[in-house]
Amino acid sequence: GCHVAFIFQPAEENLGGGERMIEDGLFDEFPCESVWGMHNWPGLPAGQFAVHPGTVMAAADFMDIRILGRGGHPAMPQQAADPLIAAAQVVSALQAAVSREVAPTDAAVVSVTKLAGGTTYNVIPDAVELKGTIRTLTPAAREQMKQRVSEIVSGVAAALGTEAEISFLEGHPPTINTEREARIAEAVAQDVVGAGNVHWGLPPSMGAEDFSYMLQRKPGCYLWIGNGGEPGSCGLHNARYDFNDAIIPVGASYWVRLVERLAGGQG
């Protein structure tokens, strides 16, 4: 017979519920030969699927940076070491980490999402804080980008007479499908919606997914189901996002067909 485990994953996204479940013995308690996932995808037409033979979602890492200078009077900047000037240069220089460190055929994203420092009009502050995220598609690029970000931040800060403290919070690894299982998913999706409605090998998303931890340990496929929506409509993580209830039968049919195929030994 065929045993199917339904994985109800808590603390998805930044808290890494997938990793916690594995650490707690998920695959020891419930041995699985393969793992399968699905995510609704705004912008992909309803009634369509997208299947990736390899990387489908990016790795996500987070950076905390403090630029340490020497505060003073803005009318006498020569007596200070301005961390705001250094921070502004760091933000610009980090974009070069993508355009000049990653091959144009690959993809990476470095985004500074917080820049905080200073208190009032007439004081150069002692320190400035930055936060941001690094997204990459391969383990090698992931390590390369963290190294180059550290070098760029430290170098720019030093050139402007300040110091930099940088630390990384490691997020999820890239979500990488196995091609054999991706081909199975493609065939099943084609059974449900027709070959013309199944996309193979679209560019991966630079978003991250902690289903990646499960795919590190088991073969499987994480695919996208079209949610519909015109360009410019609300995307994922938008407060006005609206799940398309009409795709529920399409997604449910995929799961039933997948189980039938695997149970029948066609996998």
Side-chain angles (χ1 to χ4, degrees):
C2 178
H3 296 277
V4 179
F6 292 87
I7 302 174
F8 294 91
Q9 181 182 324
E12 198 263 349
E13 298 288 349
N14 291 346
L15 296 178
E19 182 179 30
R20 303 296 186 274
M21 293 183 78
I22 291 169
E23 291 173 350
D24 288 343
L26 170 65
F27 293 133
D28 299 323
E29 295 287 335
F30 305 95
C32 296
E33 294 179 2
S34 56
V35 290
W36 308 80
M38 179 191 295
H39 201 298
N40 64 89
W41 209 252
L44 186 66
Q48 296 188 6
F49 288 94
V51 184
H52 295 75
T55 301
V56 54
M57 307 289 278
D61 294 300
F62 305 94
M63 55 186 181
D64 286 281
I65 301 168
R66 277 176 57 82
I67 307 294
L68 307 174
R70 186 174 64 256
H73 199 296
M76 294 168 275
Q78 75 279 7
Q79 297 176 4
D82 193 337
L84 282 166
I85 297 293
Q89 294 294 324
V90 163
V91 173
S92 296
L94 284 177
Q95 302 315 302
V98 174
S99 65
R100 287 297 176 265
E101 300 295 337
V102 176
T105 52
D106 201 350
V109 177
V110 177
S111 294
V112 176
T113 54
K114 178 179 181 179
L115 197 164
T119 56
T120 190
Y121 301 103
N122 61 343
V123 176
I124 293 174
D126 286 318
V128 171
E129 176 189 12
L130 300 92
K131 291 183 181 290
T133 183
I134 305 171
R135 308 292 176 123
T136 47
L137 294 178
T138 65
R142 188 182 192 187
E143 294 309 310
Q144 177 194 13
M145 287 305 297
K146 285 193 287 188
Q147 178 181 341
R148 289 300 293 137
V149 164
S150 294
E151 293 170 350
I152 288 169
V153 171
S154 298
V156 170
L160 294 169
T162 61
E163 296 182 7
E165 297 176 348
I166 181 166
S167 61
F168 296 102
L169 175 63
E170 190 170 278
H172 308 327
T175 304
I176 304 175
N177 293 330
T178 44
E179 185 167 357
R180 177 179 178 273
E181 282 65 30
R183 287 294 182 188
I184 294 171
E186 178 191 36
V188 171
Q190 288 175 347
D191 285 346
V192 175
V193 297
N197 289 313
V198 180
H199 302 271
W200 176 263
L202 292 180
S205 168
M206 299 310 289
E209 167 58 54
D210 67 335
F211 189 72
S212 55
Y213 296 104
M214 300 182 193
L215 283 171
Q216 282 185 328
R217 290 158 177 81
K218 301 291 179 180
C221 180
Y222 179 91
L223 83 170
W224 300 340
I225 181 171
N227 194 71
E230 298 301 319
S233 61
C234 292
L236 301 173
H237 294 211
N238 186 290
R240 293 182 296 278
Y241 172 75
D242 184 25
F243 178 79
N244 184 356
D245 293 346
I247 69 174
I248 292 175
V250 181
S253 296
Y254 167 83
W255 288 122
V256 172
R257 297 279 182 91
L258 176 65
V259 171
E260 288 175 344
R261 181 184 178 103
L262 297 177
Q266 301 177 54

